Amino acid sequence: ILTISFFYMFYSFIQTRSFVRQSAFVVGNAAAATIQGFELDSNWRATQKLTFYGSLGYLDAKFDEYTDASCNAWYSLITGETVCDRSGKRFAYAPEWSATLGLNFITPAWGNFDFRTNFDVLYESDYYTDSTAEESIKQDGYFKLNLRLALESDNWAFAVIGKNLTDEDVIEFGTTVPNSGVYFGTPAYSGFMQPPRTIAVQAEYRF
């Protein structure tokens, strides 16, 4: 099975959120923006026991015109300017490429239990984690590996689940600490990270 979809969206006065003078979040309007790309999904049953799946996405999300955007912290600190032109720049949290490749394997174990393996690799290209396109906290492209090993029956499931097995450091959200450049002479940053490597044991009973 193979499916592919294309999309194109044009926005006028799209709402954005950013810092003003590194002191407060405000919601403003960018003049125009275009979001376009495609998504591809595939599922292939190689044998009765083995299935492969994958997806690929391309996203081109840019401001066509945005002349009164907030500047990032370093630029403001060096130049004293607080308003910048972000026309032609990418959105925050918008990786250009994303992909998934995985497999699902199932085979009889003993009694009425089956052994099931799910393994997948996730990829995202680099993206800004701040609306001002701050390079210091830009997230680089990364891979994540996830694995699930399980014994399953009609009613019971016992599994070991590993997520982010390569223990990638991924920024979920980042921003400049308000006024840090003004008071400390250099910007400081705060944010949230996605979960590190996690290993879990799961037991499930279905009524």
Side-chain angles (χ1 to χ4, degrees):
I1 299 174
L2 177 65
T3 60
I4 186 169
S5 58
F6 297 88
F7 56 89
Y8 176 88
M9 294 173 282
F10 176 78
Y11 290 89
S12 295
F13 304 108
I14 185 171
Q15 288 193 332
T16 60
R17 189 183 70 160
S18 60
F19 270 121
V20 173
R21 295 180 177 86
Q22 305 181 44
S23 60
F25 271 119
V26 297
V27 176
N29 289 322
T34 300
I35 302 174
Q36 58 187 337
F38 68 84
E39 295 178 346
L40 183 151
D41 290 282
S42 180
N43 195 301
W44 176 46
R45 189 172 186 180
T47 68
Q48 290 293 108
K49 298 180 180 180
L50 180 62
T51 301
F52 292 96
Y53 57 90
S55 64
L56 177 66
Y58 172 73
L59 176 63
D60 181 21
K62 294 179 179 177
F63 296 106
D64 298 323
E65 185 180 352
Y66 192 9
T67 58
D68 58 349
S70 296
C71 299
N72 66 56
W74 273 112
Y75 187 85
S76 294
L77 184 65
I78 295 171
T79 66
E81 297 180 14
T82 58
V83 177
C84 287
D85 186 352
R86 285 203 63 204
S87 302
K89 294 286 188 178
R90 288 160 49 190
F91 283 22
Y93 315 107
E96 190 173 22
W97 292 97
S98 59
T100 303
L101 183 63
L103 63 84
N104 180 22
F105 177 77
I106 184 169
T107 187
W110 77 86
N112 62 340
F113 279 90
D114 294 326
F115 174 72
R116 181 187 293 272
T117 301
N118 299 95
F119 174 74
D120 57 51
V121 182
L122 309 179
Y123 170 75
E124 283 192 342
S125 60
D126 64 293
Y127 58 87
Y128 292 114
T129 64
D130 181 82
S131 59
T132 62
E134 176 62 75
E135 293 287 341
S136 300
I137 49 175
K138 185 178 181 179
Q139 174 61 51
D140 294 330
Y142 65 90
F143 289 91
K144 279 188 178 182
L145 306 182
N146 302 313
L147 177 65
R148 182 177 184 269
L149 305 174
L151 287 173
E152 299 179 345
S153 68
D154 292 338
N155 300 107
W156 287 95
F158 303 94
V160 177
I161 302 170
K163 294 185 177 181
N164 190 14
L165 294 176
T166 51
D167 200 24
E168 292 291 326
D169 294 325
V170 180
I171 303 173
E172 181 75 22
F173 166 79
T175 191
T176 307
V177 175
N179 287 315
S180 58
V182 175
Y183 295 123
F184 306 130
T186 183
Y189 304 97
S190 64
F192 303 99
M193 304 293 290
Q194 291 186 10
R197 180 193 298 117
T198 58
I199 307 295
V201 178
Q202 180 186 64
E204 179 180 345
Y205 179 75
R206 305 182 187 95
F207 294 95

